[in-house]
């Protein structure tokens, strides 16, 4: 086993350089907490990948989260990341990648690859491709979860801009999801609910 990527976003004082932050976090955090046998020359380390992080907290971010994130999705049935959909445009992966994960999971189950499917997609700010795609079928998969994950990364472009184009998210379609959730809405024509990739996924279980 090995660690493929490490992502750290750390707010810092204005008088500290990015180089110093990176050096200190590698020395005092990464090297002190992660076993060296899990790191190699291919391990990617992202520390404040968008640049300096002086302004943070409520001064830097504001939005809706808490209970709203749960009622918008699965009502507490499934674990969820920390970002709500409401109040954000589709360039934020909190919205677009969550929709894409829903879309992929539905197609995986419909293709007969598993009876249940949970997808975790991890991003680093400023890095287009996800640093991790994790599939959990809760032991219901007809092939290994790792193989399903490989199929997903091969069949779907998970860069935010590609997701926006694929699901055509730059449209005024979100008002109708402001109540009664975003998922499982058979009463609405939502792109992430479509089962249009079943054929593409079935070939991996032949």
């Amino acid at each position: 086993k090995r660690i493929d990527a490490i992502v750290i976003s750390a707010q810092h004082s204005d008088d500290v350089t990015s180089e110093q932050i990176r050096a200190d976090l590698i020395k005092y955090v990464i090297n002190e907490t992660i076993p060296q046998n899990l790191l190699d020359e291919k391990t990617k380390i992202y520390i404040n990948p968008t640049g300096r992080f002086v302004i943070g907290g409520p001064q830097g971010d504001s939005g809706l989260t808490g209970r709203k994130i749960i009622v918008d999705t699965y009502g507490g049935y499934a674990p969820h990341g920390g970002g709500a959909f409401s109040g954000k445009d589709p360039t934020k992966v909190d919205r677009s990648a969550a929709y894409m994960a829903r879309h992929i999971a539905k197609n995986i189950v419909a293709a007969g690859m598993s009876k249940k499917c949970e997808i975790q997609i991890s991003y680093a700010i400023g890095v287009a491709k996800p640093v991790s795609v994790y599939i959990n079928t809760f032991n219901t998969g007809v092939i290994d979860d790792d193989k399903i994950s490989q199929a997903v990364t091969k069949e779907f472009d998970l860069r935010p801009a590609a997701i926006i184009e694929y699901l055509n998210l730059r449209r005024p379609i979100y008002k109708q999801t402001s109540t009664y959730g975003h998922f499982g809405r058979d009463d609405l024509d939502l792109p992430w609910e479509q089962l249009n990739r079943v054929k593409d996924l079935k070939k991996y279980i032949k």
Side-chain angles (χ1 to χ4, degrees):
K1 293 184 177 181
R2 59 178 295 274
I3 292 176
D4 183 65
I6 299 171
V7 182
I8 300 177
S9 292
Q11 188 178 357
H12 55 82
S13 300
D14 193 26
D15 58 352
V16 179
T17 65
S18 298
E19 292 75 17
Q20 185 65 51
I21 289 291
R22 180 178 179 85
D24 286 350
L25 287 175
I26 290 175
K27 180 178 180 180
Y28 297 111
V29 177
I30 294 175
N31 290 344
E32 291 292 328
T33 59
I34 298 178
Q36 292 299 304
N37 64 302
L38 298 179
L39 304 174
D40 56 41
E41 66 278 359
K42 293 184 178 180
T43 299
K44 297 178 285 291
I45 298 177
Y46 301 104
I47 296 177
N48 292 353
T50 57
R52 296 179 60 73
F53 185 7
V54 176
I55 298 175
Q59 185 180 0
D61 285 293
S62 63
L64 299 172
T65 184
R67 284 179 292 176
K68 183 60 174 169
I69 198 174
I70 299 303
V71 300
D72 279 349
T73 55
Y74 301 101
Y77 177 79
H80 203 297
F85 307 155
S86 300
K88 295 175 182 172
D89 65 80
T91 64
K92 308 301 186 293
V93 292
D94 297 345
R95 186 186 281 272
S96 55
Y99 289 157
M100 194 64 166
R102 165 71 178 181
H103 176 65
I104 295 170
K106 280 194 67 174
N107 278 269
I108 285 173
V109 173
M113 301 180 87
S114 67
K115 293 182 179 179
K116 297 174 65 176
C117 182
E118 180 180 274
I119 300 180
Q120 179 192 77
I121 307 174
S122 301
Y123 291 88
I125 297 174
V127 181
K129 291 185 177 181
V131 296
S132 172
V133 178
Y134 173 72
I135 303 287
N136 184 3
T137 63
F138 305 93
N139 297 317
T140 68
V142 298
I143 60 175
D144 291 342
D145 290 356
D146 287 344
K147 291 184 178 180
I148 297 177
S149 179
Q150 292 171 13
V152 166
T153 55
K154 184 175 181 180
E155 292 293 330
F156 297 92
D157 190 339
L158 297 177
R159 295 173 299 169
I163 293 173
I164 291 171
E165 181 179 358
Y166 173 76
L167 294 177
N168 194 14
L169 296 178
R170 292 188 185 275
R171 296 178 290 148
I173 60 175
Y174 304 108
K175 182 178 180 180
Q176 59 189 342
T177 64
S178 61
T179 57
Y180 304 111
H182 296 234
F183 300 153
R185 297 294 301 276
D186 295 332
D187 56 319
L188 302 176
D189 182 22
L190 299 172
W192 51 87
E193 296 293 324
Q194 295 177 4
L195 297 174
N196 58 337
R197 300 300 299 277
V198 171
K199 183 178 179 180
D200 296 326
L201 294 172
K202 277 184 176 291
K203 63 187 178 185
Y204 292 95
I205 57 177
K206 290 183 179 179

